[in-house]
Amino acid sequence: MVTNLHFARDTSNNPVRLFCGATADGHSAELMRLFNRRVLGFTDNSTLLVEGGECQGVYYVREGWLALSKSLEEGKTQIIDFALPGDIIDPAGADGATSSLTMEALTNGALSTMPYRHWEALTGDWPELHHLAHRMESATQARRAGRMLRLGKGTAEMRIAYALVEFCIRIAPVRDGEYCEFHIPLTQQQLGDYVGLSSVHVCRTMRRMAGKGILKMRDHMDIRVLDRQSLASLAGVDMVALKSEIIPQ
Amino acid sequence: MVTNLHFARDTSNNPVRLFCGATADGHSAELMRLFNRRVLGFTDNSTLLVEGGECQGVYYVREGWLALSKSLEEGKTQIIDFALPGDIIDPAGADGATSSLTMEALTNGALSTMPYRHWEALTGDWPELHHLAHRMESATQARRAGRMLRLGKGTAEMRIAYALVEFCIRIAPVRDGEYCEFHIPLTQQQLGDYVGLSSVHVCRTMRRMAGKGILKMRDHMDIRVLDRQSLASLAGVDMVALKSEIIPQ
DNA sequence: CGTCTCATTGATCCGCCTCAATAGCTGTGG
DNA sequence: CCACAGCTATTGAGGCGGATCAATGAGACG
């Protein structure tokens, strides 16, 4: 019923974005074996591809980062959301059979998946899980709505500040009095695809923020937020309120 | 358990956007009475206001249009989605108590609402409803993701074309060989807030489309799509595929 | 050491915003 | 019945934010 899978960052230019294969929890040797044997995945607007395991259904991310994106024919891509460990992903469209999103592995990782009917049965039988899933769903909605607002109405600075505040909340352990520090496995191009900016402008904007002493960057997206207040103000949010809005429980 | 409510378009500049009060299904006299007595509603990021009825929970739209939006302090507003008859709205954030969205009535209408715990219990007990809710949820996600892509990467023309295609699919009865024709209860300002453009640019863009013979406009947003193919092509979508993606079942 | 990817910085261009003026429509009151 | 106010649509003019193009650095890797 539940299938455990590994995924790996795609270092080639292969159009299949998400690699997965049925396997018990394992290590990278196992991953490599699967790699050489067969890759599975699904692409924008096409039926989910399944082989050697039940890939079609709800995904639970156990480890690693995934990007959920959509693209135009011209090749422009918008990252709709990132899926982080603990997140539940339901990429289906209204027909339940085709994915409305493309999944791309940003790091190596692992996930579990289960067919929709099983997921529905499970949540139906288990009220606590149902409730949790509902909260997580709400969190996802709220997060995307916040970003949508900035996409439509915010400046470059606000969009990036908001994304960074989001990362602070989602991945950085909060310790009062300390800097919020984290690594994001993204290129500036990908960050731009997330916030609707060109990579060039992402660079300029972040550099300007660094110049103002709001944050500090080290090799490939190691970010330390020096001034959380200013960042939140640029983003146009209250960090505490946003946290309760986008983090379940 | 279930509460039936009426809402009305807010013609004043009242910051409370959604008017509702507990009532049996009724007529406008009842509505007026409620109006004069007390208005209820909820605003961005604040706890849902409840009085005389269970307002906090899941909403089912029976009649009329609602806009779900978010705003920046500066006053700029982004409409995240429209809720149309038949839609289920769940405006809560991750904490389940505060709304991540502002609801605004665009027309008069009616809705039903039910507390979260009841909704969860109901879907838990009734697999068919659970499945339907799941599909509708997926449809909403897909719709918003499509718009998000255009917000981040599309031109003004593409954004508007996409919104119009969406309206075609969601509200216009499809008859082959006939023009797709519908009315949207929006000002150009609101349409702009939906697609992330200024009202001025909405006007220019739609006028240009009308000039190209793609559509025809009459008083206040009566729209007739003359050339569905061109419109879909401007929007960068296939209408059939989009329909299966954003319409449940 | 050459290649590849990604970050950085400069220069230019253009799509859309903003401001402003006008026109059309609706409702309201004299 | 007209005058007026208020709202929305329309059109023009000008400015700016961010895209695009292009060149150079800077690591990572074989």
Side-chain angles (χ1 to χ4, degrees):
Chain A
M1 187 149 149
V2 177
T3 310
N4 292 315
L5 307 165
H6 289 279
F7 56 84
R9 184 160 165 262
D10 184 5
T11 50
S12 71
N13 274 344
N14 199 310
V16 174
R17 302 297 187 79
L18 178 67
F19 300 102
C20 58
T23 168
D25 271 330
H27 32 55
S28 55
E30 176 69 1
L31 176 63
M32 283 307 138
R33 195 176 62 77
L34 289 161
F35 237 75
N36 293 326
R37 211 180 47 178
R38 189 67 176 257
V39 291
L40 302 172
F42 45 85
T43 55
D44 202 6
N45 279 339
S46 70
T47 301
L48 307 189
L49 302 179
V50 184
E51 189 187 281
E54 193 68 68
C55 260
Q56 178 168 2
V58 176
Y59 293 71
Y60 174 77
V61 182
R62 295 205 315 275
E63 242 186 284
W65 283 51
L66 294 170
L68 310 180
S69 63
K70 280 184 82 73
S71 300
L72 298 172
E73 299 72 17
E74 326 150 31
K76 293 179 179 179
T77 296
Q78 173 72 39
I79 294 179
I80 305 297
D81 209 353
F82 295 115
L84 271 48
D87 285 344
I88 295 168
I89 316 172
D90 178 6
D95 59 4
T98 59
S99 173
S100 65
L101 297 172
T102 299
M103 294 174 55
E104 179 178 2
L106 297 172
T107 66
N108 296 343
L111 52 77
S112 301
T113 178
M114 157 184 326
Y116 290 116
R117 81 190 62 217
H118 288 147
W119 173 248
E120 288 176 0
L122 191 62
T123 51
D125 290 345
W126 189 2
E128 293 80 9
L129 177 62
H130 193 171
H131 186 73
L132 175 64
H134 188 187
R135 288 279 158 276
M136 295 189 64
E137 184 60 46
S138 296
T140 299
Q141 297 274 13
R143 204 167 55 225
R144 295 185 189 180
R147 200 133 26 70
M148 210 157 156
L149 166 61
R150 270 91 194 165
L151 268 182
K153 303 289 171 179
T155 63
E157 204 164 44
M158 174 176 282
R159 295 186 207 182
I160 290 186
Y162 185 82
L164 293 177
V165 168
E166 231 191 292
F167 288 134
C168 271
I169 292 175
R170 288 185 81 187
I171 64 179
V174 191
R175 284 180 298 248
D176 282 333
E178 287 186 27
Y179 296 134
C180 171
E181 200 163 4
F182 52 89
H183 171 79
I184 47 181
L186 303 172
T187 65
Q188 292 183 345
Q189 175 67 50
Q190 288 167 321
L191 184 53
D193 287 343
Y194 186 54
V195 297
L197 296 171
S198 68
S199 62
V200 173
H201 210 63
V202 168
C203 177
R204 273 191 238 277
T205 307
M206 292 189 73
R207 212 114 282 295
R208 201 176 316 129
M209 286 181 182
K212 285 199 261 187
I214 294 175
L215 51 82
K216 193 177 249 187
M217 297 158 60
R218 277 205 324 282
D219 38 32
H220 276 241
M221 295 292 184
D222 276 332
I223 294 172
R224 168 182 288 179
V225 177
L226 301 175
D227 185 349
R228 245 185 290 189
Q229 285 311 313
S230 301
L231 189 67
S233 146
L234 283 183
V237 288
D238 175 60
M239 282 190 75
V240 176
L242 184 62
K243 181 163 185 176
S244 78
E245 201 175 306
I246 69 174
I247 300 289
Q249 294 175 17
Chain B
M1 187 147 147
V2 176
T3 310
N4 292 315
L5 307 166
H6 288 280
F7 56 85
R9 185 162 164 261
D10 184 5
T11 51
S12 71
N13 274 344
N14 198 311
V16 174
R17 302 297 187 78
L18 177 66
F19 301 103
C20 58
T23 169
D25 271 329
H27 32 54
S28 56
E30 176 68 1
L31 176 63
M32 283 306 139
R33 195 176 64 75
L34 289 162
F35 239 75
N36 294 327
R37 210 181 48 179
R38 188 69 176 255
V39 290
L40 303 171
F42 44 84
T43 55
D44 202 6
N45 280 339
S46 71
T47 301
L48 307 189
L49 303 179
V50 183
E51 189 188 280
E54 193 69 67
C55 261
Q56 178 168 2
V58 176
Y59 293 71
Y60 175 76
V61 182
R62 296 205 313 276
E63 241 186 284
W65 283 50
L66 295 170
L68 310 180
S69 64
K70 280 184 82 73
S71 301
L72 298 172
E73 300 72 18
E74 327 151 30
K76 293 178 178 179
T77 295
Q78 172 72 39
I79 295 179
I80 305 298
D81 209 354
F82 295 115
L84 271 48
D87 284 344
I88 295 168
I89 317 171
D90 178 6
D95 58 5
T98 59
S99 173
S100 64
L101 296 171
T102 299
M103 295 174 55
E104 179 178 2
L106 296 172
T107 67
N108 296 343
L111 52 77
S112 301
T113 179
M114 159 183 324
Y116 291 116
R117 82 190 61 216
H118 289 146
W119 173 249
E120 288 175 1
L122 192 63
T123 51
D125 289 345
W126 189 2
E128 293 80 7
L129 176 63
H130 193 171
H131 186 72
L132 176 64
H134 188 185
R135 288 280 157 276
M136 295 189 65
E137 184 61 46
S138 295
T140 300
Q141 298 273 15
R143 204 167 56 225
R144 295 185 189 180
R147 201 132 26 69
M148 210 156 156
L149 166 60
R150 270 91 194 164
L151 269 182
K153 303 289 171 180
T155 63
E157 204 164 43
M158 175 176 282
R159 295 185 207 183
I160 291 185
Y162 186 82
L164 293 178
V165 169
E166 231 192 291
F167 288 134
C168 271
I169 292 175
R170 288 185 81 186
I171 65 180
V174 190
R175 284 180 297 249
D176 282 332
E178 287 186 26
Y179 296 134
C180 171
E181 198 164 5
F182 52 89
H183 171 80
I184 48 181
L186 303 172
T187 64
Q188 291 184 345
Q189 174 67 52
Q190 288 168 320
L191 185 54
D193 287 344
Y194 186 55
V195 298
L197 295 172
S198 69
S199 63
V200 173
H201 210 64
V202 168
C203 176
R204 273 191 238 276
T205 306
M206 291 189 74
R207 211 115 282 294
R208 199 176 318 128
M209 286 181 182
K212 285 198 261 186
I214 294 175
L215 51 83
K216 193 176 249 188
M217 298 157 60
R218 277 205 324 282
D219 39 32
H220 276 242
M221 296 293 184
D222 276 333
I223 295 172
R224 168 182 290 180
V225 177
L226 302 175
D227 185 349
R228 243 185 291 190
Q229 285 311 312
S230 300
L231 189 67
S233 145
L234 283 183
V237 288
D238 175 59
M239 282 190 75
V240 176
L242 184 62
K243 181 164 185 175
S244 79
E245 201 176 307
I246 69 173
I247 300 288
Q249 292 177 18

